[in-house]
Amino acid sequence: MKSSGNRLNILSEKEVQDLYDLPKMSYEERVKYFSLITAEKKELSSFRLLRAKVYFILQLGYFKAKKMFFNFSFKNIEDDIQFILQHHFPGAYHIEGERISGTPRLNQQKRILKLLNYKLCSKTDRKDLLEKAKYLATIYTKPVYIFKELFNDLESRRVAFPAYSFFQVIIGSALSYEESRLEKIVKEQVSQENKETLDKLLTAETSMYELTLLKKEPRDFSYSEIAREVQKRESMKSLYEYSISFLPTLGISNENVKYYASLVDYYSMFRLSRFNKETIYLYLLCFIYNRYQTINENLINSFIYRVRKYADEARTAAKETVYQQAVEGNNHLKPAGKVLKLFVDDRLSDEMRFGDVKQIAFKILGKDKFLAVSQYISSYEFDQVEYEWNHYVKSSMAIKRNLRHIFLNIDFEAQATQDPLIKAVSFLKEYIPRIGKERETMAHEFSEEIIPKKLRRYLIEKEGNKAGKTPRTINGINVDKFEFLVYKLLREGLESGRIYCTNSVSFRSFDQDLITPNQWNNRKHLIQNLSVPGFQKPIKKLLRDLEEELEIKLKKVNERIAKGENQQIKITAKGDEVRWTLPYQKIEGEEVNHPIYEHFSQIRVTDLLHFVHQQTGLLRSFQHILEKHVNRRVDYQRIIAVITAYATNNGLYKMANISDIRYPELEDTSNNNVRLETLKAANDQISNKMAKLPIFKYYDISEEGIHSSSDGQKLETQFDTFNSRYSPKYFGLDKGVTAYTLVGNHVPINAKIIGANEHESHYVFDILYNNTSEIDPVIHSTDTHGTNQVNFALLHFFGYQFATRYKNLSSKANMIYGFKNPSQYDGYLFKPVRKIYNQLIEDEAENMEKILLSLALKTTTQSIMVSKLSSYTRSNKTKRAFWGLENIHRSIYILNYIDSPVLQRGVQKVLNRGENYHQLAKAIRYANGGKLKV
């Protein structure tokens, strides 16, 4: 975004004023900044005139507040002057003159810098700042990011902040340098052949651009949509392989790669073609790199969805077959009884031929019913698994149509080089294209190695149906069943992490999600800059402290129950068995709205948004996507119109019809200004302002800090999206997603849209750690959907206390662990069921630290890391070590919960607040059509 004079506009006018105008202090701030320590009082005594003394205190206080000097007069700071006179010069009521002259003022500034151990920004500092700005531009080209980092650097080096124009010049120069540097690399290193291939993406063919087709995301998992994704993948494969080797030579971060890629999505073909060639090639290569991996992600998700769908259909069909056969068998029991009576029927001669008896029996019970009825009578059981695998054969045409084109285009890999499943995958990838040609020559390669023993009876045909007798078997193995078995095992492997795809986002190998070897070697420096609580204590010391805490807690909780001091626990005895329960106690008044709300009059949404903007400045957050490339003010009226259109589910077209703003203007504002980044920034503005209100502290539940909760709400989608899923339980015949929201006190401070099929527990750490508001929770609660095998340990490691609510706590007693053998806890009602093996945790400390450091540095999406950590099968020892830590922290929490009514009420209350927020959102949504526009 350019300002007048072609200078970079980094901050809004209001932000510049807030930062560079004279401080407007409250009484508390005046006490803080205008109070003097001994050295400052000594310096003050060196001035003779009262005017000079007051000016010195003012300059000193303003510098402490903003780390910069101001040239001001006495006219507009009467309140500050009166405060100084009253506290430092009793009896003086006014000062003469408007200001002190230039030389004495500069002399005071030098003394202040020496007193506070600061210095002015020298030529050397400016040169260093320019170099740092150039480096920061390789990480993230957003000007405000570079500005904040330079500001932090100046403060750490104790350098007085220079003028805003200085930052405009420095950052503008750094960004221009970065653009020139990248253009030079592209010009010199991208081959002519690759440039021509990139040019073709911008060439119109049959009135369509190839790039326009590549940008389009699939709507759903239908065959046509996925087939188009396969075609796109194939068309960009050569450029993607080139981008893998080329992009690292640019020396830019993944964040910048994503940013440059997003510009291709943003710009129209016409606008994109107006950039210089090198810039276009850079954007396109970043786009190809990101889009190719996204396509692989889409294909794998479609593959998993389809395989699970066919497996569910087979299971349902098998159950229906079993039911029908049971009904049929039951219906034929009476005729079967008549058949049995033939053996004792005196009217039938013993000399009758058996064939004649059979004919009589077949007239009573049809010949085709005998086998089913005999099975029903003999065992009352049917082999459901056999029916499932037979169903796969019946559905083989649909399975092949919807899965083969995905299977053949994904590069599946495994940690073990000789993994039998990968060998089977390789075989099928060679076998499928040869169908109808020379597939019989591959019979010797067709192995039953991957077929589980319990399934061999279903996949390997019996004697008399060997290879050659039917085109659907090779070496006695049913080919259709074998093919689906491979698909089924691949799905399980992808979900567990044993099978991976390198060129994807969430399905790549676990090692790819971890920090690089160079980062690991530099871990001490990284840890120092992170300030993560869990890194501050060696593992042995951590385990000793946890052991002491858990053992003391076990003893205390059981003693309080034995003495009758814990009246929450209800104990019942049935023979020798002792049972306990912890009944839920309803919080008084938790469902009652306060009568004060009945006195509020209704106002228009636009008036509300204008008022909130006046109080928080939220509309200034909706900056243009191309901040440094446009010269345009944010139109607040259009922003409000777009937000209202989406929030009320009316859409832009309807909003244009009922307002005085044209549709193209609304669409332009929506595309340029309203996006996830700006919505989060606006939400943070509101959250931060609410946190500063005096009433905010009265919502606190815990004395330890802010107690938050997170929960998912199912939302139907108005249009098909790749993230939406069917769920008859929540959406009936429609599709939907889950809105996962973090609520701190009464404020929704973070949210994320996830698939309705995704486990909420994988996003608990993600939504907490990526909270960018100033409302920083200390305790966090979820219901049982938020629990998994690592969340207690992870959240504790990063400084959060996890406080989940279990639906039936008495059933969780077997989740309590101890550091001693369970036999040593005789006489305890709450007795550990297993022992913690701390040696395993100590042995795996380094591997765990590497994973935790990767989470802290956000080397990938935390939800991906947590989901793999929860279910990963390869690093078995590391996983078990994490689970060991989880068992310790969960045991301590369960004991605390049992022993503390305050904690019980707090958890229930904070979860009720989350539910109340969802009820409010639901009421608003259904008042405006009932479905979410995604």
Side-chain angles (χ1 to χ4, degrees):
M1 187 181 293
K2 297 283 186 179
S3 64
S4 58
N6 289 327
R7 278 186 176 170
L8 197 66
N9 190 0
I10 306 167
L11 306 174
S12 67
E13 291 181 8
K14 180 67 166 57
E15 288 171 327
V16 174
Q17 290 173 2
D18 290 343
L19 189 60
Y20 282 94
D21 281 1
L22 273 175
K24 295 179 180 179
M25 297 186 181
S26 64
Y27 179 83
E28 292 77 10
E29 288 172 327
R30 292 189 183 105
V31 171
K32 177 180 179 181
Y33 294 120
F34 293 144
S35 297
L36 303 177
I37 61 175
T38 303
E40 294 164 351
K41 289 178 180 178
K42 183 178 179 181
E43 194 68 43
L44 179 69
S45 64
S46 66
F47 298 105
R48 184 173 57 86
L49 299 176
L50 175 63
R51 182 176 59 184
K53 292 183 177 182
V54 172
Y55 205 91
F56 173 78
I57 297 175
L58 286 167
Q59 284 211 89
L60 178 63
Y62 292 155
F63 187 86
K64 288 178 181 179
K66 291 202 171 183
K67 306 301 184 293
M68 62 183 73
F69 291 113
F70 302 90
N71 186 3
F72 56 88
S73 69
F74 293 134
K75 282 185 178 180
N76 300 319
I77 53 173
E78 186 62 31
D79 291 341
D80 292 342
I81 293 173
Q82 288 303 315
F83 177 89
I84 291 171
L85 292 176
Q86 290 172 14
H87 285 74
H88 295 288
F89 309 103
Y93 299 102
H94 69 278
I95 53 177
E96 297 180 356
E98 291 187 1
R99 65 176 73 234
I100 64 173
S101 59
T103 302
R105 174 170 55 83
L106 295 176
N107 179 48
Q108 283 189 3
Q109 290 177 6
K110 290 179 182 178
R111 296 188 182 192
I112 290 171
L113 290 171
K114 187 175 180 181
L115 269 174
L116 301 180
N117 194 26
Y118 267 76
K119 64 176 182 176
L120 294 175
C121 192
S122 64
K123 289 184 178 180
T124 302
D125 293 321
R126 292 168 187 253
K127 184 178 178 181
D128 292 342
L129 287 171
L130 177 59
E131 291 304 311
K132 180 154 189 174
K134 289 178 180 179
Y135 167 71
L136 291 170
T138 67
I139 298 175
Y140 196 21
T141 58
K142 193 171 183 179
V144 70
Y145 162 77
I146 302 175
F147 178 83
K148 289 178 179 178
E149 290 298 317
L150 293 182
F151 228 71
N152 293 336
D153 183 68
L154 285 168
E155 189 164 14
S156 66
R157 291 158 58 181
R158 305 189 74 79
V159 176
F161 296 148
Y164 177 56
S165 58
F166 164 79
F167 288 103
Q168 290 177 302
V169 172
I170 287 288
I171 296 174
S173 300
L175 293 175
S176 297
Y177 173 83
E178 179 65 7
E179 289 176 3
S180 301
R181 185 184 73 85
L182 294 176
E183 288 174 6
K184 183 179 179 182
I185 295 173
V186 171
K187 186 175 183 179
E188 293 176 352
Q189 296 191 21
V190 178
S191 66
Q192 186 60 35
E193 180 183 357
N194 283 315
K195 289 178 181 178
E196 291 173 359
T197 306
L198 291 168
D199 286 333
K200 290 178 182 177
L201 297 177
L202 301 171
T203 303
E205 293 183 7
T206 63
S207 301
M208 288 293 289
Y209 289 88
E210 186 177 349
L211 185 58
T212 302
L213 299 176
L214 292 178
K215 285 165 48 168
K216 188 176 180 181
E217 290 281 353
R219 293 179 302 171
D220 49 37
F221 294 125
S222 65
Y223 174 82
S224 57
E225 292 288 322
I226 298 304
R228 276 191 283 270
E229 288 291 278
V230 171
Q231 292 172 1
K232 294 173 193 176
R233 181 184 182 279
E234 191 60 31
S235 68
M236 64 173 73
K237 186 173 183 179
S238 61
L239 282 174
Y240 172 73
E241 290 173 348
Y242 174 72
S243 70
I244 293 174
S245 59
F246 172 72
L247 291 181
T249 66
L250 296 175
I252 59 178
S253 67
N254 288 334
E255 197 65 42
N256 267 356
V257 172
K258 292 177 184 177
Y259 173 70
Y260 295 139
S262 71
L263 295 181
V264 175
D265 275 319
Y266 167 74
Y267 284 119
S268 66
M269 293 298 99
F270 174 75
R271 291 282 303 279
L272 197 61
S273 62
R274 293 173 68 87
F275 284 94
N276 66 57
K277 285 289 186 180
E278 284 70 30
T279 300
I280 296 174
Y281 297 148
L282 170 66
Y283 292 172
L284 287 177
L285 285 171
C286 291
F287 171 79
I288 293 293
Y289 179 82
N290 266 20
R291 186 72 179 96
Y292 189 90
Q293 292 192 350
T294 303
I295 287 176
N296 276 341
E297 196 85 356
N298 293 340
L299 294 181
I300 295 173
N301 278 318
S302 178
F303 181 84
I304 291 173
Y305 169 81
R306 287 285 184 184
V307 173
R308 185 185 289 112
K309 182 172 179 286
Y310 288 126
D312 290 343
E313 288 176 356
R315 197 175 300 111
T316 302
K319 287 180 180 179
E320 182 65 25
T321 302
V322 169
Y323 173 75
Q324 290 176 354
Q325 291 196 359
V327 171
E328 186 176 355
N330 191 56
N331 290 338
H332 291 92
L333 281 179
K334 189 173 182 179
K338 292 180 180 180
V339 171
L340 291 175
K341 285 182 180 180
L342 292 177
F343 291 92
V344 294
D345 193 339
D346 295 334
R347 293 174 297 174
L348 298 180
S349 171
D350 292 341
E351 284 77 24
M352 285 184 67
R353 292 187 307 164
F354 183 67
D356 294 335
V357 177
K358 285 173 61 177
Q359 293 303 317
I360 297 172
F362 291 156
K363 288 180 181 179
I364 299 172
L365 180 66
K367 182 179 179 179
D368 58 326
K369 304 293 191 299
F370 260 77
L371 180 60
V373 174
S374 64
Q375 288 178 340
Y376 182 70
I377 293 173
S378 62
S379 64
Y380 286 93
E381 292 182 2
F382 298 93
D383 194 340
Q384 182 177 320
V385 177
E386 182 177 4
Y387 297 142
E388 287 182 27
W389 284 99
N390 289 339
H391 185 82
Y392 296 137
V393 175
K394 292 178 183 178
S395 307
S396 60
M397 294 302 294
I399 290 172
K400 292 169 185 176
R401 171 180 166 80
N402 289 303
L403 289 177
R404 276 184 174 176
H405 66 142
I406 303 175
F407 170 75
L408 294 172
N409 282 279
I410 296 295
D411 300 318
F412 298 103
E413 300 174 69
Q415 298 293 343
T417 54
Q418 297 299 317
D419 191 296
L421 179 55
I422 296 301
K423 289 164 68 175
V425 167
S426 300
F427 167 77
L428 274 182
K429 286 194 173 187
E430 290 185 47
Y431 171 81
I432 290 173
R434 297 190 190 185
I435 291 177
K437 299 176 184 177
E438 49 187 79
R439 62 178 186 173
E440 285 76 14
T441 61
M442 302 182 66
H444 66 283
E445 300 179 35
F446 208 78
S447 171
E448 62 182 58
E449 185 179 2
I450 71 161
I451 305 176
K453 290 183 179 179
K454 63 180 180 180
L455 294 180
R456 291 186 179 184
R457 55 180 293 205
Y458 306 112
L459 274 72
I460 301 175
E461 301 294 341
K462 297 176 182 178
E463 291 294 328
N465 192 26
K466 294 183 178 180
K469 294 293 182 69
T470 170
R472 293 190 179 277
T473 60
I474 296 181
N475 290 350
I477 301 174
N478 186 298
V479 178
D480 291 336
K481 294 180 180 179
F482 180 84
E483 182 176 344
F484 189 78
L485 175 66
V486 172
Y487 297 159
K488 195 168 182 285
L489 293 176
L490 280 174
R491 189 209 90 190
E492 294 169 358
L494 287 166
E495 291 180 333
S496 68
R498 187 173 67 86
I499 302 298
Y500 60 88
C501 174
T502 298
N503 299 314
S504 70
V505 181
S506 58
F507 293 100
R508 59 184 183 174
S509 72
F510 194 71
D511 290 339
Q512 287 179 280
D513 289 326
L514 300 177
I515 57 175
T516 64
N518 288 337
Q519 288 176 308
W520 177 245
N521 293 334
N522 194 33
R523 61 186 178 278
K524 290 184 178 179
H525 175 70
L526 294 173
I527 289 172
Q528 287 175 354
N529 295 329
L530 283 174
S531 301
V532 176
F535 286 123
Q536 311 307 319
K537 192 180 291 187
I539 190 67
K540 289 187 177 181
K541 176 69 165 60
L542 173 66
L543 287 172
R544 283 198 303 270
D545 292 347
L546 289 174
E547 179 177 1
E548 182 180 358
E549 182 179 0
L550 178 54
E551 294 301 321
I552 290 174
K553 184 63 65 177
L554 273 167
K555 183 178 179 181
K556 177 185 174 184
V557 169
N558 281 282
E559 284 180 351
R560 278 175 43 79
I561 293 172
K563 293 176 182 178
E565 295 176 0
N566 186 341
Q567 298 181 3
Q568 307 293 316
I569 298 293
K570 303 301 179 185
I571 301 174
T572 57
K574 189 174 182 181
D576 294 334
E577 185 180 1
V578 178
R579 295 181 180 180
W580 65 272
T581 56
L582 183 64
Y584 164 64
Q585 295 181 352
K586 185 176 180 179
I587 300 173
E588 290 296 328
E590 64 183 56
E591 296 178 355
V592 179
N593 286 324
H594 198 284
I596 191 173
Y597 296 115
E598 297 176 3
H599 300 284
F600 290 165
S601 60
Q602 293 186 352
I603 63 172
R604 295 187 305 174
V605 172
T606 53
D607 293 338
L608 175 63
L609 287 173
H610 275 297
F611 173 78
V612 175
H613 171 63
Q614 290 172 1
Q615 301 298 315
T616 67
L618 81 96
L619 296 177
R620 287 193 294 272
S621 301
F622 293 94
Q623 294 295 322
H624 196 283
I625 190 172
L626 306 174
E627 292 180 86
K628 65 179 187 295
H629 292 300
V630 296
N631 181 18
R632 189 185 305 172
R633 284 179 173 272
V634 177
D635 189 317
Y636 293 158
Q637 290 298 113
R638 293 186 191 176
I639 295 291
I640 290 176
V642 171
I643 293 173
T644 305
Y646 287 145
T648 58
N649 202 34
N650 284 316
L652 300 182
Y653 185 77
K654 189 172 182 180
M655 176 59 71
N657 289 334
I658 62 176
S659 71
D660 58 354
I661 306 176
R662 297 183 302 114
Y663 177 79
E665 295 172 341
L666 291 176
E667 185 181 39
D668 181 66
T669 301
S670 175
N671 293 337
N672 294 335
N673 302 84
V674 181
R675 55 193 186 278
L676 181 61
E677 180 186 10
T678 56
L679 285 168
K680 286 175 70 68
N683 192 74
D684 285 348
Q685 286 282 90
I686 299 173
S687 300
N688 297 342
K689 186 68 175 181
M690 293 178 75
K692 292 181 174 66
L693 296 174
I695 198 174
F696 185 79
K697 63 184 179 181
Y698 292 103
Y699 285 86
D700 288 347
I701 293 174
S702 171
E703 295 180 357
E704 299 176 32
I706 294 173
H707 192 161
S708 64
S709 69
S710 59
D711 192 17
Q713 185 179 29
K714 307 297 182 184
L715 303 173
E716 294 178 18
T717 49
Q718 187 173 358
F719 306 110
D720 282 340
T721 67
F722 207 71
N723 207 29
S724 59
R725 296 288 190 278
Y726 286 110
S727 178
K729 178 180 177 182
Y730 297 106
F731 313 125
L733 298 178
D734 294 322
K735 290 183 179 180
V737 295
T738 298
Y740 195 63
T741 309
L742 172 66
V743 177
N745 276 5
H746 60 295
V747 183
I749 54 180
N750 199 7
K752 188 177 184 66
I753 298 294
I754 64 177
N757 61 310
E758 296 185 88
H759 205 288
E760 292 177 10
S761 69
H762 297 165
Y763 294 88
V764 174
F765 174 77
D766 202 344
I767 204 167
L768 269 172
Y769 195 62
N770 289 319
N771 166 36
T772 53
S773 75
E774 294 174 6
I775 301 175
D776 192 13
V778 175
I779 308 173
H780 184 74
S781 291
T782 69
D783 56 19
T784 50
H785 290 102
T787 60
N788 56 28
Q789 293 167 314
V790 295
N791 274 352
F792 272 103
L794 274 184
L795 266 60
H796 187 274
F797 190 90
F798 283 87
Y800 305 104
Q801 180 185 334
F802 193 37
T804 191
R805 179 188 64 188
Y806 290 109
K807 189 174 183 180
N808 184 6
L809 187 61
S810 58
S811 67
K812 307 300 177 185
N814 62 352
M815 299 172 69
I816 298 177
Y817 284 64
F819 282 84
K820 304 173 186 176
N821 192 287
S823 62
Q824 296 182 253
Y825 298 95
D826 285 341
Y828 281 13
L829 177 63
F830 296 101
K831 184 186 300 184
V833 293
R834 289 181 181 86
K835 178 183 177 181
I836 298 293
Y837 291 98
N838 50 355
Q839 187 60 49
L840 175 64
I841 300 173
E842 291 180 20
D843 293 342
E844 291 296 315
E846 188 171 294
N847 289 329
M848 289 193 293
E849 185 178 353
K850 191 173 186 179
I851 292 170
L852 293 165
L853 189 55
S854 301
L855 282 168
L857 294 173
K858 304 181 184 181
T859 60
T860 186
T861 307
Q862 288 95 337
S863 56
I864 295 174
M865 288 283 286
V866 173
S867 63
K868 290 181 179 180
L869 198 57
S870 300
S871 59
Y872 202 52
T873 57
R874 171 178 164 263
S875 299
N876 198 36
K877 286 186 177 180
T878 306
K879 180 185 69 175
R880 293 205 321 268
F882 262 113
W883 290 0
L885 274 178
E886 176 78 359
N887 292 332
I888 298 171
H889 290 295
R890 185 182 58 240
S891 300
I892 292 172
Y893 168 71
I894 291 176
L895 292 168
N896 280 331
Y897 188 87
I898 289 169
D899 202 44
S900 174
V902 174
L903 178 58
Q904 295 164 22
R905 289 194 295 270
V907 171
Q908 186 62 47
K909 191 171 184 178
V910 76
L911 289 173
N912 285 347
R913 286 180 178 177
E915 286 294 331
N916 291 338
Y917 168 74
H918 283 165
Q919 290 299 321
L920 174 64
K922 185 177 180 180
I924 295 171
R925 187 170 69 256
Y926 278 91
N928 295 285
K931 292 187 180 180
L932 174 71
K933 181 177 181 181
V934 178

